[in-house]
Amino acid sequence: MKELRKFDKVVNLAKTRGFIFPSSDIYGGLNSIYDYGPLGTELKNNLKKAWFDFMLARRDVVGLDSAILMHPQIWKASGHLDGFSDPLVDCKKCKSRFRADHLLEKKGIKPTFGKDNTPNMSDVKCPECGGELTEVRQFNLMFKTFMGPLEDSANQIYLRPETAQGIYVNFLNVLNSLRLKIPFGIAQIGKAFRNEITPGNFIFRMREFEQMEMQYFVHPDKTKDAFEKWQNLRMDWYKSLGIDPKNLRFREHAKDELAHYAKKALDIEYNFAFSENETFKELEGIHHRGDWDLSQHQKYSQQKLTVKDENNKEYIPNVIETSGGVDRATLAFLMEAYTEIDGGRTTTTESSKEKEVVLKLDKRLAPIKIAIFPLSKKTDLMAKAIEIYDSLATKYRLTYDETGSIGKRYRRQDEIGTPYCVTVDFDTLGNNLVTVRDRDTMKQDHINISELAAYFQEKFK
Ligand code: GAP
């Protein structure tokens, strides 16, 4: 039987171990929408906290949580209403739908779609059945809905396709209320929605997803330094949480790839290894957006969005954006952490010959920090284990497990990335010592219960 790819194994583990489920699963799922299960919620929350803490640790970055629904004019000003579309073709025979630019790229043709520019697709056939394709149509990716009881165009609004616009339209509020001076950044995490034509690769490209974005407002003369600073900081963040540098790289966008307003853009890519041909893919973008966004909002809102320099000269700040996907980062950390050990790591258990899976997540990201086991289901051992659980539960996310052999329980925790397991055995009742086992080294420490809190404080500092 053909060995599964690592990516498929991670998808499988995510579902069977409670990280990520297809949305509306009992109804057959909803295409490219996913729910985070109990462990996925913890992992994602830890990741978002790590991002927010990292960004706000800079003295010049503040946070924001803007609404998903916004004034529809915002999308006119930002260019999303007119330009946020993908070129789409359908197969006339099998009805499959494709991104025209992707089909051209596969044929080695550089696609340049524009308002007045549609490349010739007559030589391109359906990759599924060889059928003839329709003309290229531009398909806007924004989800529409209506506000209020009347479903007419006057009440049409959109689910935001990026969180960034919520930051731009709050620029003035944040600047004035906190009396900030340029340069400063506004960071926020939130849901975004895109009616993607070809979603896929699990949580890599979804229709409902989360972004973690920061817009850094800076004087036009200082953009080069700001860009370099943020590209390095963001790359370091992924490395600091355990991604091997060899699986990360920068990819600078060529001039003809840039959005019309962008001065420079580069992606931080991760080696997702979806297939032999699909290895490094975008994880996060660093963009020099010039003064496009604030200028547009100034024009459409008729509100002055300028600041003054030291010579009292007014200008519109430029923006360096860091724009990452929470879900893509979650997938990257899961892929990176997934480790198989052939033949197992322990030789004394009944399943020692089996392949063992260890999810080597950074401790800060691990959904469960500590597992507590009584060696057996004896009442006094269980009571002691629960006492320990209760004493640590306000500080750490814990789990309690009393079923199966200790070896099996260790392996269940290894699979979900729990860094430490604490076992209460018969000796504990006499000498108050528990065994703490480390996920990665399998080293066992014997710790007095009275010192457990201090022990873990050191481990998780
Ligand atoms: N504000 C700029 C912006 O939204 P983007 O490159 O379109 O830029 C930024 O998106 C990041 O959001 C991407 O690098 C990716 O991590 C994430 N992202 C974009 N579309 C996504 C989708 N359909 N599913 C999951 N993540 C997505």
Side-chain angles (χ1 to χ4, degrees), residues 162 194 196 204 206 211 213 282-283 321 323 325 328:
E162 62 171 15
R194 294 181 191 178
E196 300 276 3
F204 179 82
M206 299 192 285
Q211 288 187 314
E213 295 197 297
E282 176 184 343
L283 192 53
E321 170 184 69
S323 176
R328 277 192 200 177

Side-chain angles (χ1 to χ4, degrees), residues 26-51:
I26 58 170
Y27 286 90
L30 183 64
N31 196 357
S32 296
I33 311 279
Y34 289 91
D35 295 339
Y36 282 75
L39 298 188
T41 306
E42 296 291 342
L43 170 58
K44 193 160 76 138
N45 284 343
N46 293 340
L47 189 154
K48 289 194 281 185
K49 184 174 179 328
W51 183 85

Side-chain angles (χ1 to χ4, degrees), residues 226-236 250 264 266 268 286 320 322:
F227 195 101
E228 272 170 29
K229 178 181 93 174
W230 281 107
Q231 88 174 66
N232 292 328
L233 279 171
R234 293 304 307 137
M235 179 61 109
D236 290 346
F250 287 121
K264 178 177 173 156
L266 61 79
I268 296 177
I286 318 293
I320 303 300
T322 71

Side-chain angles (χ1 to χ4, degrees), residues 80 84 161-165 168 192-194 196 199 203-213 215 238 253 261 267-268 282-285 287 289 321-329:
H80 283 83
F84 193 56
E162 62 171 15
T163 59
Q165 297 304 324
Y168 297 126
F193 303 82
R194 294 181 191 178
E196 300 276 3
I203 56 170
F204 179 82
R205 193 180 302 286
M206 299 192 285
R207 294 195 167 111
E208 173 179 340
F209 57 99
E210 250 179 310
Q211 288 187 314
M212 35 194 192
E213 295 197 297
Q215 315 295 315
Y238 290 103
H253 289 207
Y261 53 81
D267 293 338
I268 296 177
E282 176 184 343
L283 192 53
E284 170 159 348
H287 310 128
R289 299 176 66 128
E321 170 184 69
T322 71
S323 176
V326 175
D327 312 274
R328 277 192 200 177

